[in-house]
């Protein structure tokens, strides 16, 4: 695929990034637009590898070698057709996906893998620029009505596919704008919100109805939804944050990371002190990191987003703590394709220390850290955190170096537990032991109610949410019509054990 000798001639090159000193002053996207010639060179690096493991690494089953070949041949419109046949929102995944496909790239066994995510973004942005992204209006309507509750990536993907099948789709979103996680969870410097609005406008032209400020189960009765629609898709996500149950947890200055991030997204949009989804003012007031010692608890992507946002708030200091040990492989000094951890051999997702653009902007990172106590002042405000380090000696865990670090703002980025239970109880759908919706084949215990995304599988990647939404739409279409013509996920020739995600 591509140029037969391309992987020998060209080096892996990604998008240029704006200078740290510049980007810390605003919320514009960090990455600069892709260059067509560089995209073509990166596509040329794709090998004719026989068995494309990248297919299996991608939760969507994207047809990667084929769109790489089309880009190399400068057949950009055909590349877009191939890409959009499996991915409803490549403009999202091309910006915020960790690219498990690249970890499974055959070239990545001993060389830098093909820059698949970079190529994907190049294709979709060129498609928009040339007017190839057009409303896909179904020629015939079935008359069946489907309600999609939640407008995150899973809900949007399900809505898009169900509308394509000819059903009348209404999306209910409790927030004031459409997009869910990609609208109010991902910072603008990673995903500009004009990208989300651009896609939503196309979906509106396709005939999908969007209703905002509609919190089903609260200001929209669940009984009305059950009565008025032939099927319901629950795609509200895993939204209950995992907090830390230690001494001092009631102090002022301790917040879930997503509350901090969503508030900033609203400020960037010019929405000041917008009420939350229940119609109440922010319970904890507005959260700012300005001139504060900030501690981010959690080492994942959400924690990284808190670091980047705190830098833009001009925090005094930023410390990110992680309970897990520091990985032995640092992706800035020793990329995973040179040395892989023994526990994650190719083509699995590699265990490495990942340095994000937010970390590049300034942050102290601590690993193997136990957060033991939040320490407050006489007025009940957070002033410090008591931590210790952990290590294993002769198989025994030992805590050491206990100390207090200054902190006026603690952001808990320790993940999410499960979806909120109120609506699930009203709809009388069963949940599993983790309190996620029990829907092994996307259909719940209530025959006309389906579930997709984090609400069903637990918190995961945006690319998995899109995959879930597409697969759920197939099951809904089968339920309504007895059969479905919607595309099934591409079946890999490789063992499912190599999931790459």
């Amino acid at each position: 695929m591509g140029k037969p000798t391309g992987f020998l001639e060209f080096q892996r090159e990604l998008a240029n990034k704006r200078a740290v000193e510049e980007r810390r002053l605003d919320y514009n996207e960090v990455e600069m637009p892709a260059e067509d010639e560089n995209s073509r060179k990166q596509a040329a690096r794709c090998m004719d590898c026989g068995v494309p493991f990248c297919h299996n690494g991608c939760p969507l089953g994207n047809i990667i070698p084929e769109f790489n070949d089309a880009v190399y041949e400068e057949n950009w419109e055909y590349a877009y057709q191939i890409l959009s046949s499996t991915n409803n929102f490549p403009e999202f995944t091309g910006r915020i996906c960790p690219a498990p496909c690249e970890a499974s790239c055959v070239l990545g066994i001993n060389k830098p893998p093909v820059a698949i995510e970079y190529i994907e973004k190049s294709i979709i942005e060129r498609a928009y620029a040339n007017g190839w992204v057009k409303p896909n209006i179904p020629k015939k309507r079935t008359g069946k009505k489907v309600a999609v509750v939640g407008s995150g990536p899973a809900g949007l993907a399900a809505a898009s596919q169900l509308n394509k099948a000819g059903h009348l789709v209404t999306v209910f979103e409790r927030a004031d704008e459409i997009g869910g996680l990609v609208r109010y969870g991902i910072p603008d410097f990673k995903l500009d919100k004009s990208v989300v609005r651009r896609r939503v406008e196309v979906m509106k032209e396709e005939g999908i109805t969007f209703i905002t400020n509609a919190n089903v189960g609260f200001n929209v009765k669940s009984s009305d939804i059950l009565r008025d629609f032939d099927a319901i898709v629950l795609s509200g996500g895993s939204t209950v944050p995992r907090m830390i149950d230690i001494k001092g947890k009631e102090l002022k200055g301790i917040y879930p990371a997503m509350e901090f991030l969503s508030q900033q997204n609203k400020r960037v949009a010019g929405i000041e002190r917008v009420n939350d989804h229940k119609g109440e003012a922010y319970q904890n007031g507005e959260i700012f990191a300005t001139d504060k010692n900030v501690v981010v608890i959690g080492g994942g992507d959400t924690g990284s987003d808190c670091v980047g946002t705190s830098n833009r708030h001009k925090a005094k200091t930023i410390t990110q703590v992680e309970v897990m040990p520091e990985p032995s492989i640092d992706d800035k000094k020793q990329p995973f394709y040179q040395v892989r951890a023994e526990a994650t051999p190719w083509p699995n997702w590699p265990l490495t220390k990942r340095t994000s653009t937010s970390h590049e902007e300034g942050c102290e990172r601590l690993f193997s850290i136990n957060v033991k106590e939040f320490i407050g002042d006489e007025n009940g405000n957070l002033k410090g955190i008591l931590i210790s380090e952990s290590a294993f000696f002769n198989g025994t865990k030992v805590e050491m170096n206990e100390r207090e670090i200054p902190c006026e703002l603690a952001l808990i980025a320790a993940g999410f537990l499960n979806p909120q239970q109120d609506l699930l109880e009203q709809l009388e759908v069963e949940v599993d032991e983790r309190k996620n919706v029990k829907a092994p084949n996307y259909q719940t215990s209530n025959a006309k109610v389906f579930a997709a995304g984090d609400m069903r599988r637990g918190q995961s990647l945006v690319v998995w949410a899109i995959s879930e939404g597409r697969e759920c739409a197939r099951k809904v279409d089968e339920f309504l019509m007895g059969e479905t013509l919607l595309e099934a996920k591409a079946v890999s020739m490789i063992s499912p054990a190599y999931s790459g995600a």
Side-chain angles (χ1 to χ4, degrees), residues 135-309:
N136 184 14
I137 302 172
K139 296 179 180 178
K140 182 179 179 182
R141 290 290 181 182
T142 65
K144 302 290 186 179
K145 298 197 297 182
V146 182
V148 176
V149 182
S151 69
L156 290 179
S160 179
Q161 292 296 100
L162 288 165
N163 181 75
K164 181 179 179 180
H167 305 307
L168 299 168
V169 182
T170 302
V171 179
F172 294 88
E173 170 55 53
R174 67 181 183 177
D176 57 333
E177 286 201 30
I178 297 299
L181 176 73
V182 294
R183 178 61 190 88
Y184 283 130
I186 306 295
D188 290 69
F189 55 78
K190 288 174 63 176
L191 173 63
D192 190 275
K193 298 308 171 277
S194 63
V195 174
V196 181
R197 288 191 290 269
R198 178 178 66 182
R199 174 59 70 174
V200 171
E201 288 305 312
V202 173
M203 295 178 71
K204 287 180 179 178
E205 291 181 48
E206 292 175 333
I208 299 172
T209 300
F210 292 96
I211 303 177
T212 56
N213 297 305
N215 192 8
V216 178
F218 290 90
N219 62 348
V220 177
K221 293 182 179 180
S222 55
S223 57
D224 292 346
I225 301 293
L226 280 168
R227 181 194 65 216
D228 297 338
F229 290 87
D230 299 295
I232 300 170
V233 174
L234 300 178
S235 54
S238 183
T239 55
V240 177
R242 178 181 286 107
M243 299 301 285
I244 301 179
D245 189 13
I246 58 175
K247 184 179 179 181
K249 63 181 180 180
E250 75 287 345
L251 292 170
K252 299 174 184 175
I254 305 168
Y255 306 101
M258 202 54 66
E259 187 173 348
F260 173 67
L261 295 174
S262 62
Q263 283 192 15
Q264 185 55 48
N265 281 2
K266 291 180 180 181
R267 292 189 197 102
V268 173
I271 307 170
E272 295 296 335
R273 287 192 65 85
V274 170
N275 292 344
D276 69 14
H277 63 272
K278 293 183 182 179
E280 303 165 352
Y282 291 135
Q283 295 180 357
N284 299 310
E286 291 192 276
I287 309 169
F288 289 96
T290 310
D291 296 327
K292 294 177 181 177
N293 295 296
V294 178
V295 176
V296 179
I297 302 174
D301 289 339
T302 301
S304 169
D305 294 342
C306 289
V307 169
T309 303

Side-chain angles (χ1 to χ4, degrees), residues 1 46 52-58 61-70 82 101-102 114 116 119-120:
M1 309 301 289
C46 185
F53 278 68
C54 55
H55 279 299
N56 200 73
C58 175
N62 281 340
I63 312 169
I64 295 164
E66 283 78 0
F67 68 61
N68 283 340
D69 186 54
I82 296 171
C101 54
E102 295 183 12
V114 175
I116 300 169
I119 297 167
E120 184 175 312

